[in-house]
């Protein structure tokens, strides 16, 4: 079977133009949404000043809803559903992304996945990491999924397109399970839950380097298809990535969900692939290890050891190191001089042996459950022990709460208790971006971005709204 993928020109966020292009694409691909239709954008985080390029734009959503309404046959429901990044209430990010006005205009339903119960879904594929995963109830009832990713580079996975956008279907409690050395396998597992019937990628302005704070790249393209693997394969070629290097694509394709070879894909549309490739010659990625990345010009230094799983013993791409990198980029957006302004921190992750090269005024954050080290710090004997749990030892049905207030309190209290010490061990697998934000502020003595009144007041208002709705939805059938 040959899958068709369209690359269409679009250099402006004009909802009418986007609607016309997407409708044309739907016609060419024979797409006819029906039943309970769910549109899943990428709103991992959104803020007009701090994170302007991290999410699927509202004009894009607007255009796709218009096209969906025009092409739908007997729709029972049209809804928009998503779970933003760890601990941030999704309704807060939707507000920052400008979604409520689009949703009101089209009179479609909203499912903030963090406000709904999650239900288990069994996985049948032999290669699956787990035998079940948890997904929000509204997704389990979906007949027709429309996936609307943002075209972005990703510092842990290289690229985030259609497949990676599935990380946003799980709430915090389940999202962090296997979000570590097994992130790529986790993404492949999630594909078994439901496949999108239509994919449209917002590549009008693509994101380079980071996932939360990407630098904009005017790609001027909308990519459409009906198979995630095919769409992601074309997406890889658009920015000179070998699809084999997008590990979750390779794993998903090997499990039979679609192709990763251009010979099996008909690439069409009005924006030829060769022309796109010419345009993206300077497209930037950031797949750098933190011990290289924070080497010069920063009061943050990193020591990276070895990791407990054979398939990735030299680095943990899906966990603590990448979360630190994202947290530092959030601070750089908020406090441009953060690298110099923060007190000296040495971030240690993994199994490290031998003395640490510490300055007398440097504090140490031992990060993550898998981290271990033994030695002297300021004349004190220190022993950090690993408490890493293998996949089989982590029960996905008995996960820890990742509640925003609880997590904030836990991290800040832990840092406060250790304020007089030269070191602390911040546990978690993974230590999330939010955890890193809190520890960097407390240990590095810099203002905590999440406690800035401009952010904290609305964030807390939306947090309590989320809690109330989550409580009410417990009683939904
Ligand atoms: S503790 Fe952190 S670095 Fe270690 S395996 Fe878990 S996520 Fe990776």
């Amino acid at each position: 079977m040959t899958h068709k993928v369209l690359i269409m020109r679009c250099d402006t966020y004009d909802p009418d133009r986007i609607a016309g292009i997407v409708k044309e694409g739907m016609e060419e691909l024979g797409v006819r949404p029906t039943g309970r239709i769910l549109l899943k954008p990428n709103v991992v985080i959104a803020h007009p000043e701090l994170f302007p390029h991290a999410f699927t734009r509202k004009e894009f959503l607007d255009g796709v809803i218009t096209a969906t309404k025009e092409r739908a046959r007997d729709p029972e429901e049209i809804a928009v559903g998503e779970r933003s990044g760890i601990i941030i209430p999704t309704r807060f990010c939707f507000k920052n992304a400008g979604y409520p006005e689009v949703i009101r205009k089209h009179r479609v339903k909203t499912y903030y996945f963090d406000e709904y119960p999650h239900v288990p879904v069994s996985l049948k594929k032999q290669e699956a990491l787990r035998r079940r995963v948890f997904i929000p109830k509204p997704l389990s009832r979906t007949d027709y999924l429309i996936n609307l990713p943002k075209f972005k580079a990703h510092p842990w996975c290289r690229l985030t397109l259609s497949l990676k956008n599935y990380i946003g279907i799980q709430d915090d409690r389940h999202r962090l399970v296997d979000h570590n050395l097994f992130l790529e396998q986790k993404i492949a597992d999630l594909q078994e839950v439901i496949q999108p019937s239509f994919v449209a990628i917002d590549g009008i302005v693509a994101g380079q380097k980071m996932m939360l704070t990407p630098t904009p790249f005017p790609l001027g393209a909308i990519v459409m298809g009906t198979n995630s693997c095919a769409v992601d394969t074309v997406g890889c070629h658009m920015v000179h990535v070998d699809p084999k290097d997008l590990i979750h694509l390779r794993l998903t394709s090997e499990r039979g969900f679609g192709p990763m070879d251009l010979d099996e894909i008909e690439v069409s549309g009005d924006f030829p692939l060769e022309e796109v490739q010419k345009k993206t010659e300077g497209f930037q990625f950031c797949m750098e290890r933190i011990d290289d990345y924070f080497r010069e010009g920063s009061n943050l230094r990193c020591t990276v050891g070895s990791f407990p799983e054979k398939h990735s013993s030299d680095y943990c791409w899906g966990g603590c190191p990448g979360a630190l990198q994202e947290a530092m980029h959030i601070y750089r957006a908020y406090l441009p001089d953060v690298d110099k302004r923060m007190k000296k921190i040495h971030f240690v992750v993994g199994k490290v042996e031998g003395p640490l090269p510490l300055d007398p005024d440097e504090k140490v954050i031992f990060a993550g459950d898998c981290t271990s080290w033994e030695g002297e710090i300021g004349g004190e004997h220190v022993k950090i022990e690993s408490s890493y749990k293998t996949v089989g030892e982590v029960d996905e049905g008995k996960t820890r709460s990742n509640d925003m207030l609880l997590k904030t309190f836990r991290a800040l209290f832990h840092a406060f208790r250790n304020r007089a010490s030269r070191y602390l061990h911040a546990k978690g697998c993974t230590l999330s971006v939010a955890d890193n934000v809190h520890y960097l502020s407390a240990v590095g003595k810099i203002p905590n971005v999440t406690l800035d009144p401009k952010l904290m007041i609305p964030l807390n208002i939306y947090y309590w709204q989320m809690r109330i709705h989550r409580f009410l939805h417990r009683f939904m059938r």
Side-chain angles (χ1 to χ4, degrees), residues 338-349:
V338 65
D339 287 87
K340 290 277 179 245
R341 188 164 160 183
M342 69 194 289
K343 302 276 180 214
K344 288 183 186 171
I345 295 179
H346 202 108
F347 189 92
V348 179
V349 66

Side-chain angles (χ1 to χ4, degrees), residues 179-181 307-308 316-321 349-350 367-371 388 428-431:
H179 203 305
N180 48 29
L181 297 153
F307 296 89
C316 178
W317 284 105
C320 305
V349 66
D369 289 351
C370 76
T371 293
Y388 175 77
C429 181
T430 181
L431 202 62

Side-chain angles (χ1 to χ4, degrees), residues 247-258:
I247 298 168
H248 56 262
L249 169 58
R250 179 166 50 76
L251 295 173
T252 310
S253 181
E254 283 168 2
R255 294 183 193 185
F257 288 105

Side-chain angles (χ1 to χ4, degrees), residues 420-440:
S421 172
R422 284 280 307 276
Y423 70 92
L424 61 79
H425 187 184
K427 291 198 173 183
C429 181
T430 181
L431 202 62
S432 68
V433 176
D435 287 326
N436 277 286
V437 163
H438 296 317
Y439 284 115
L440 286 173

Side-chain angles (χ1 to χ4, degrees), residues 47-48 98 156 218-219 272 289 300 312-313 438 467:
H47 191 278
W156 313 350
L219 183 58
R289 290 167 53 113
L300 175 67
S312 188
S313 60
H438 296 317
R467 290 302 300 251

Side-chain angles (χ1 to χ4, degrees), residues 109-151:
K109 209 169 157 51
T110 314
Y111 289 122
Y112 303 113
F113 291 158
D114 43 339
E115 298 180 2
Y116 284 86
H118 275 46
V119 293
V121 174
S122 299
L123 302 183
K124 305 271 184 308
K125 294 269 179 197
Q126 223 189 334
E127 307 90 326
L129 191 62
R130 294 191 173 270
R131 294 279 48 103
R132 62 175 186 167
V133 292
F134 284 79
I135 61 160
K137 217 167 188 175
L139 184 68
S140 69
R141 298 165 165 182
T142 296
D143 300 310
Y144 202 101
L145 180 68
I146 296 183
N147 197 8
L148 305 178
K150 178 80 174 172
F151 198 118

Side-chain angles (χ1 to χ4, degrees), residues 225-244:
T226 54
N227 178 277
S228 282
C229 288
V231 168
D232 283 13
T233 299
V234 173
C236 283
H237 285 285
M238 287 172 70
V239 287
H240 312 274
V241 169
D242 184 339
K244 287 201 263 334

